[in-house]
Amino acid sequence: MLPMKILFFSAKPYDKQFFNVYNEPYGFEIEYLETHLGPHIVNAVDGQEAVCVFVNDKVNAEIISVLASKGVKIIALRCAGFNNVDLEAARAHGIRVCRVPEYSPEAVAEHTVAMLLTLVRKTHKAYNRVREQNFSLNGLLGFNLHGKTIGVVGTGKIGGAFCRIMKGFGCRVLAYDLFPNTDLQAAGIEYQSLEAVLSTADVVSLHCPLNPATHYLINENTLAMMKPGVTLINTSRGGLINTAHAIDALKSKHLANLAIDVYEQEEKLFFKDLSENIIEDDTIQRLMSFPNVLVTAHQAFFTEEALTEIAQVTLQNVDRLRRGEEPAQGGSLV
Ligand code: NAI
């Protein structure tokens, strides 16, 4: 069998580092493009049977039809979420789509905890302050997580890991999911309606996927259900929150803290060094101007363990598909 060619989009130095190592046993001919996949670059596909994409690559019907015309047989996502891919279009063109269904859910769950602790104990401010030799505590007052009620929306692999960690902090953990998990129930996680979770929790953390049913799940109505002074964390997908409504809730002080690792317009910003640029997106600038908002740039997955798993599983998925076999469980989307 001739070595298969794979064209990577949105490739960063760390992608090359991990994929080059784990490609050795497979010997795929990999070409890395830094740009994201979109109409401007799709014609660069030239003889590759597989393309490898990440969270902000545009894989809509129009792109898929060009990929199909160029002989692409496999779209390999090196991530878990697939809201950016038109699966129906891929099916219609006979293109297989695979993903990495699980790559260290703990990486994302632990980053969620890191963001939560940073916000509620203001360590981001303390870090800067002591570097200026300001050892005052004024303005750094936080609150204990022990004894607080945490509301978790979506208790799959990541949400489940987050629930268990928060239980270990001595929190009461309430959860909402379409499919309650009996192991989590046995561990003391209490499933309730979305409204009950939102209206009771001191901290709400989002871990459900983005789809038409969850788009703008957090909006002016659901924000109003939450307790005044609530802390909201989103490490799932930006489109779960109506950002304009969240800004209004921050301005009225109803929302006391907001931590986001994902943002609905992130594809124009995240994963890029824009430190010398003028940012045209006023919404993110407004968000970042709040002292009680913490933004990280889709970093929750970014651990050595997760990148190892991502590279190994992505390459294994492509290898299995080209041999006519199925990817490991949960890996096949089309
Ligand atoms: P998963 O598929 O294991 O769990 C998702 C859970 O959400 C399932 O239990 C499902 O029943 C539930 N769910 C679906 N629709 C729902 C709704 N309308 N309301 C409440 N619950 C609902 O997925 P996993 O691995 O836990 O990942 C969750 C999300 O995290 C992904 O969809 C992805 O968007 C995001 N993610 C973010 C990363 C980051 O670096 N920030 C990295 C990896 C994933």
Side-chain angles (χ1 to χ4, degrees), residues 237-251:
R237 283 294 180 265
L240 295 178
I241 298 184
N242 181 320
T243 314
H245 293 180
I247 288 173
D248 288 342
L250 284 160
K251 282 161 88 173

Side-chain angles (χ1 to χ4, degrees), residues 12 20 36 49 58 69 80 111 127 136 186 209 238 245 255 272:
K12 300 291 176 199
N20 284 346
H36 71 275
E49 276 181 76
K58 277 203 180 6
S69 73
H111 187 78
Y127 174 81
S136 151
H245 293 180
L255 182 55
K272 297 177 187 141

Side-chain angles (χ1 to χ4, degrees), residues 80-81 83 99 101 103 108 153-159 176-179 207-211 213-214 217 235-237 261-262 298-301:
N83 50 285
R99 64 166 180 155
Y103 50 87
V108 183
V153 180
T155 55
K157 291 175 284 291
I158 295 169
Y176 170 70
D177 195 301
L178 306 177
F179 306 99
H207 300 286
C208 58
L210 175 63
N211 57 39
T214 59
L217 180 81
T235 56
S236 187
R237 283 294 180 265
D261 184 52
V262 286
H298 212 130
Q299 181 189 339
F301 75 100

Side-chain angles (χ1 to χ4, degrees), residues 84-246:
N84 53 333
V85 184
D86 188 328
L87 298 181
E88 279 316 310
R91 195 170 285 121
H93 286 283
I95 296 182
R96 295 296 308 263
V97 184
C98 55
R99 64 166 180 155
V100 186
E102 169 176 337
Y103 50 87
S104 186
E106 291 77 18
V108 183
E110 288 175 17
H111 187 78
T112 309
V113 178
M115 295 191 94
L116 174 58
L117 282 172
T118 302
L119 264 185
V120 304
R121 300 309 298 268
K122 306 191 198 311
T123 42
H124 54 314
K125 294 185 177 198
Y127 174 81
N128 288 326
R129 210 180 256 205
V130 294
R131 288 166 74 91
E132 299 287 333
Q133 301 176 36
N134 176 354
F135 301 105
S136 151
L137 296 183
N138 294 335
L140 295 184
L141 190 66
F143 62 83
N144 289 7
L145 287 173
H146 185 267
K148 293 291 183 303
T149 300
I150 312 292
V152 181
V153 180
T155 55
K157 291 175 284 291
I158 295 169
F162 178 70
C163 285
R164 290 178 195 278
I165 297 173
M166 295 326 295
K167 212 59 194 152
F169 270 66
C171 298
R172 180 181 181 209
V173 181
L174 305 182
Y176 170 70
D177 195 301
L178 306 177
F179 306 99
N181 175 323
T182 48
D183 288 344
L184 289 174
Q185 280 173 318
I189 283 46
E190 304 164 47
Y191 280 92
Q192 296 190 356
S193 68
L194 179 64
E195 192 166 352
V197 170
L198 296 183
S199 58
T200 318
D202 301 296
V203 173
V204 172
S205 192
L206 307 177
H207 300 286
C208 58
L210 175 63
N211 57 39
T214 59
H215 183 245
Y216 285 173
L217 180 81
I218 302 302
N219 55 49
E220 57 188 346
N221 298 325
T222 45
L223 281 160
M225 286 176 197
M226 295 184 200
K227 281 165 82 167
V230 68
T231 292
L232 175 63
I233 314 171
N234 185 10
T235 56
S236 187
R237 283 294 180 265
L240 295 178
I241 298 184
N242 181 320
T243 314
H245 293 180

